[in-house]
Amino acid sequence: MKVSELGERALLARIQARLPRPGTDVIVGVGDDAAVVKSAKNAQIVLTADALIEGIHFDRALSTAADIGHKALAVNLSDLAAMGATPAWALLSLALPGGTLVEDVEALVDGLVALATAENTALVGGNLARSPGPMAVDVTAVGTVHPRRVLMRDGGRAGDELYVSGVIGGGVAGLEMLRTLGGHPQHSSEVACMTRHRRPIPRVRLGRAVAQARAARAAMDLSDGLADAVRQVAEASGCGAEIDGSALPVDPGARRWWEKRGDDPVARALAGGDDYELLFAVPPKWRGRLRHARRHAAEPPLTRIGVLTGTREEYVVVREGRREPLPGGFEHW
Amino acid sequence: MKVSELGERALLARIQARLPRPGTDVIVGVGDDAAVVKSAKNAQIVLTADALIEGIHFDRALSTAADIGHKALAVNLSDLAAMGATPAWALLSLALPGGTLVEDVEALVDGLVALATAENTALVGGNLARSPGPMAVDVTAVGTVHPRRVLMRDGGRAGDELYVSGVIGGGVAGLEMLRTLGGHPQHSSEVACMTRHRRPIPRVRLGRAVAQARAARAAMDLSDGLADAVRQVAEASGCGAEIDGSALPVDPGARRWWEKRGDDPVARALAGGDDYELLFAVPPKWRGRLRHARRHAAEPPLTRIGVLTGTREEYVVVREGRREPLPGGFEHW
């Protein structure tokens, strides 16, 4: 059945029926004019919103409805992670073409709720609207953070080392693979990249652990690519940055894919976008704390990729001894 | 200049430059991965999200960009008001066609910020995305409320009187006038209705005053019409409802407009939609408290329009002695 046949009220009731019972921190959940929640004493509230628009951020032919629901929350949780926050609540605002199948909306909600539940996050409200154009999935995620544990972009200082979590480039390469291979991977490493594009994993435990251990001076997520994140952290911190091109943890599947096509894996992974890893600026003497926090969070390894420098607005990548300007960031338009 | 020519980053910078300096409750505002805010001790957090989609909720030919910005926040503040909450922070998520003029985005932000400032609300974050279809303006509003002062829908009891604030029907009639007269009103009462459609005024002070005085058992806003709100409050409270058709405070301009066209003003105002007034369920002995709270808030008068009854699921409007079923609510699709 199409959502236009079911109607807004009945669709809302179907969605409500799929939500797990929230915890005691949710005073009023879905169904009233607004949600009411209760945070721990002294906690500060962290707020972020990010939207996935059909035709811009996702393609219904390449991602399932459940993938879209997962990713719509994941990109927001990644922003909370980059602040060192603990996610707690989310709102889902859906703009749906009238022809959208009700079962696809249900699958989208299920995909979102599965990740939310894994991250102890309650879907407490939102909005349903009709769209005369593309589907839009707008999520607001709300978390909490201890007042002196917030990770901002502007806390870095010259001499701080730059660390990135996990591997990079897989999201962008995965999208290229999906477009080229149409969901029929020819190699196991391609499966991993496609999954990274469709279902990125936000580094929630890592961000929180690093913040709680005070193991970094600045942090940011890589949603618009590593080069962009390095520039933004350096600029906000009043520093320059120097990246070691040979140190970048390029996703092995992405590297293989790009090399086969004659692309430069390092340049592609730097420009990137769609990676939901975290970048940290860390004074050398905090290395031990950082390593401990990462291990405690049971997250993928961190790789030291460069350093913040005292030369403001100079962003450099060193490749085989040559200093090249760091490429610009990924712009969505 | 078009937003596609300016780019996402530069547009964000232009928007940031227009925001007033936030208060001390905003620890991290626009520009980091997420915003960080601080609420008063013991306050509960109230969260709501509502979107305006071009072609569904607004028409660029009938509303200015500033109107759209105002209304996108107003509909959310109305939801907070209906909970008795004090608005504090907002996020703005914009999906923009590439051809949108930068000056229109600035005017939209200005319209939103003007209302936000008037209501002591700080725009602390959000998102910019490109839309391959219509413009979408999605706002999340966050407020605070004292734990035992929340106004919910389900608190009503049989015998509670139903009160509505201000006048109703103006929003829907105003849209009809704009469509018919193309923004050239022929009567002063039409100007008022058009303004109500384009720039609804959320009853923030009223909702908060009634909640703080504990002057109502249940409340809801009229975004989907009075009939819908009456049904929802009655249903959630396990009651029926009886409305006195002759008591409805129909907007004088709307009444005149509908009467000229041979429409029934009471039926039209009941079905309504786009009214951002509040409905309260109030025990008769709390009348004095309610009157005091309304006067204290310096909001428009409240009108007693009916009563919650013990006959569950029976929703009636009495017109010239005849009991008729209450019409259904306004569905956006």
Side-chain angles (χ1 to χ4, degrees), chain A residues 266-305:
Chain A
V266 169
R268 295 298 314 276
L270 268 175
D274 225 17
D275 282 320
Y276 296 90
E277 298 294 347
L278 299 178
L279 175 73
F280 298 105
V282 181
K285 63 179 176 197
W286 294 9
R287 265 182 220 164
R289 258 193 262 170
L290 182 71
R291 206 176 305 129
H292 181 79
R294 198 280 300 170
R295 214 179 297 130
H296 177 74
E299 292 272 26
L302 293 163
T303 306
R304 192 171 64 204
I305 58 161

Side-chain angles (χ1 to χ4, degrees), chain B residues 5 11 32 39 45 56 67 75 87 97 164 190 192 199 206 208 212 234 236 244 254 294 298 308 316 322 330:
Chain B
E5 292 158 0
L11 182 61
D32 214 305
S39 71
I45 310 296
I56 305 287
D67 291 340
V75 301
V164 69
E190 290 167 359
R199 295 201 169 229
L206 178 64
R208 182 173 44 203
Q212 283 177 353
D244 175 1
R294 198 280 300 172
L308 290 179
V316 171
R322 289 192 318 275
F330 177 79

Side-chain angles (χ1 to χ4, degrees), chain A residues 43 45 76 101 112 119 143 151 155 159 163 212 222 237 243 253 296 304 325:
Chain A
I45 310 296
N76 278 282
L101 295 177
L112 187 152
E119 298 293 355
L151 288 171
Y163 286 84
Q212 283 177 353
L222 303 194
S237 301
I243 300 300
H296 177 74
R304 192 171 64 204

Side-chain angles (χ1 to χ4, degrees), chain B residues 157-179:
Chain B
R157 294 193 206 160
D160 285 356
E161 295 173 327
L162 295 170
Y163 287 83
V164 69
S165 63
V167 291
I168 59 171
V172 161
L175 175 57
E176 291 173 16
M177 292 168 191
L178 282 164
R179 284 182 176 152

Side-chain angles (χ1 to χ4, degrees), chain B residues 244-246 316-324:
Chain B
D244 175 1
S246 67
V316 171
V317 54
V318 181
R319 305 197 58 184
E320 293 161 12
R322 289 192 318 275
R323 294 166 59 84
E324 301 171 3

Side-chain angles (χ1 to χ4, degrees), chain A residues 3-4 6-11 27-28 31-39 41-57 78-80 82-83 89-96 98 124-134 136 138 140-142 145 147 150-154 219-221 223-224 228 232 329-333, chain B residues 3-4 6-11 27-28 31-39 41-51 53-57 78-80 82-83 89-98 124-134 136 138 140-142 145 147 150-154 219-221 223-224 228 232 329-333:
Chain A
V3 294
S4 57
L6 184 64
E8 185 185 345
R9 290 294 148 72
L11 183 61
I27 314 298
V28 180
D32 214 304
D33 293 274
V36 182
V37 300
K38 194 172 65 177
S39 70
K41 266 185 193 162
N42 299 323
Q44 290 179 343
I45 310 296
V46 187
L47 302 163
T48 190
D50 211 342
L52 300 185
I53 317 277
E54 182 180 3
I56 304 287
H57 305 96
S78 181
D79 281 323
L80 294 185
M83 303 299 288
W89 312 289
L91 305 174
L92 170 64
S93 184
L94 281 174
L96 299 170
V124 295
N127 184 56
L128 292 173
R130 191 154 66 83
S131 168
D138 207 335
T140 296
V142 184
V145 70
V150 180
L151 288 171
M152 290 169 59
R153 290 183 190 176
D154 63 2
M220 187 177 164
D221 87 332
S223 45
D224 292 340
D228 171 74
Q232 300 243 18
F330 178 79
E331 284 238 353
H332 289 285
W333 56 34
Chain B
V3 295
S4 57
L6 185 63
E8 184 185 347
R9 290 293 149 72
L11 182 61
I27 315 299
V28 180
D32 214 305
D33 292 274
V36 182
V37 300
K38 193 172 66 177
S39 71
K41 266 186 191 161
N42 299 323
Q44 291 179 344
I45 310 296
V46 187
L47 302 163
T48 191
D50 212 343
I53 317 278
E54 182 181 3
I56 305 287
H57 305 99
S78 181
D79 281 323
L80 293 186
M83 302 300 287
W89 311 289
L91 305 174
L92 169 63
S93 184
L94 282 174
L96 299 170
V124 294
N127 183 56
L128 293 173
R130 192 154 65 83
S131 169
D138 207 335
T140 296
V142 184
V145 69
V150 181
L151 289 170
M152 291 170 59
R153 291 184 188 175
D154 63 2
M220 186 176 165
D221 88 332
S223 45
D224 291 340
D228 171 75
Q232 300 244 18
F330 177 79
E331 284 238 354
H332 289 283
W333 57 36

